[in-house]
Amino acid sequence: MTRIVAISDTHGQHFGLQIPDGDILIHCGDFSKHGTFMDALKFVNWFGTHPHKHKIFIAGNHDLYFEQGNPADVDQFLKTMPAGVHYLQDSGIELEGLKFWGSPVQPRFFNWAFNRDPGSDIQKHWDLIPKNTDVLITHGPPFKKCDTAPRENGFYKSVGCADLLKTVEKICPKLHLFGHIHFSGGTSAIETKTKYVNASICDENYLVNNKPFIIEVENKNYNIIYYS
């Protein structure tokens, strides 16, 4: 059995989090508070202290350094990360017999990082996802999958990416991990072909209000557990 632990959207408040034991620890982006190099450095150093054999993270819209920093500096930073820490940006890795793919992009959201417009602008990123992906990691959710957010008129709306949903339903990864929409953090959707998890730790007020998810993988079965 392989045990995956998933978190997202910690916004600089990961210190002190109770992280359950496992084989692979995944952060789905927005680990930064201000989007600076120091945010990234503090996070990676913290991330690397965990005993999980493998640790994977992607950036989110708040992690500005990874898109707006000097590319040579970012590349050097990634080369000096602790052993066992892997950063994915429209890229993949195979660990413990599972194929992972990660992407930080999401539909345009204010003036943050990794914004893409609907249609061809964002679809070119989704087209890179391999068809044999087992675990997909994106910062934002697909449409109508743990993506509900409140609106000013008192109503609630699904705000996930419709283009991503079409791609996920075509590729059918066993597990799709994401965050970004704090209001729906701590929720999951169990469907026939793909299991969806919004692993956001912070709530709408940027307070730590959710727990990590544990996903136990055995004989191609994915059992989702909300850590308590």
Side-chain angles (χ1 to χ4, degrees):
M1 183 183 71
T2 299
R3 203 172 199 233
I4 298 171
V5 178
I7 58 175
S8 187
D9 294 77
T10 49
H11 294 281
Q13 300 183 75
H14 35 267
F15 300 100
L17 280 181
Q18 292 186 349
I19 303 294
D21 293 335
D23 302 294
I24 303 172
L25 176 60
I26 298 176
H27 196 299
C28 306
D30 273 8
F31 45 82
S32 298
K33 187 173 183 180
H34 304 291
T36 64
F37 164 74
M38 286 306 300
D39 279 345
L41 180 62
K42 290 177 181 178
F43 166 74
V44 166
N45 287 340
W46 170 83
F47 204 51
T49 64
H50 290 85
H52 306 70
K53 183 178 179 181
H54 310 289
K55 292 161 279 280
I56 302 172
F57 76 99
I58 64 171
N61 56 293
H62 281 259
D63 304 316
L64 300 165
Y65 174 71
F66 287 85
E67 184 175 50
Q68 300 177 9
N70 182 291
D73 292 341
V74 174
D75 185 59
Q76 182 60 31
F77 171 77
L78 295 175
K79 289 178 179 178
T80 59
M81 293 191 301
V85 176
H86 309 280
Y87 174 68
L88 301 182
Q89 183 174 317
D90 286 331
S91 58
I93 191 170
E94 183 171 350
L95 301 168
E96 304 295 327
L98 299 174
K99 295 179 175 65
F100 296 84
W101 185 268
S103 178
V105 304
Q106 76 278 307
R108 189 164 299 282
F109 186 71
F110 295 106
N111 191 29
W112 296 103
F114 300 105
N115 281 333
R116 301 294 186 268
D117 292 320
S120 61
D121 190 38
I122 200 167
Q123 186 61 46
K124 63 186 178 184
H125 295 274
W126 307 146
D127 286 343
L128 297 173
I129 304 171
K131 294 180 180 179
N132 62 348
T133 298
D134 295 305
V135 181
L136 177 61
I137 310 163
T138 59
H139 181 56
F143 184 59
K144 288 192 174 181
K145 308 297 181 185
C146 309
D147 70 332
T148 302
R151 286 296 177 256
E152 293 179 358
N153 58 9
F155 292 95
Y156 298 88
K157 181 180 180 181
S158 288
V159 294
C161 178
D163 295 307
L164 177 57
L165 176 63
K166 293 176 184 177
T167 302
V168 171
E169 290 183 337
K170 180 180 178 181
I171 294 173
C172 298
K174 298 294 185 183
L175 179 66
H176 187 183
L177 303 172
F178 48 84
H180 189 44
I181 306 303
H182 295 192
F183 185 81
S184 292
T187 64
S188 61
I190 312 301
E191 299 191 4
T192 303
K193 295 182 178 180
T194 301
K195 293 179 171 65
Y196 301 88
V197 171
N198 185 327
S200 296
I201 295 295
C202 286
D203 62 15
E204 285 283 291
N205 297 312
Y206 288 81
L207 300 175
V208 174
N209 203 30
N210 294 311
K211 304 287 186 181
F213 275 93
I214 299 168
I215 301 93
E216 295 179 340
V217 184
E218 187 172 17
N219 297 326
K220 297 184 180 181
N221 293 315
Y222 289 67
N223 181 34
I224 296 176
I225 304 168
Y226 187 61
Y227 184 61
S228 59

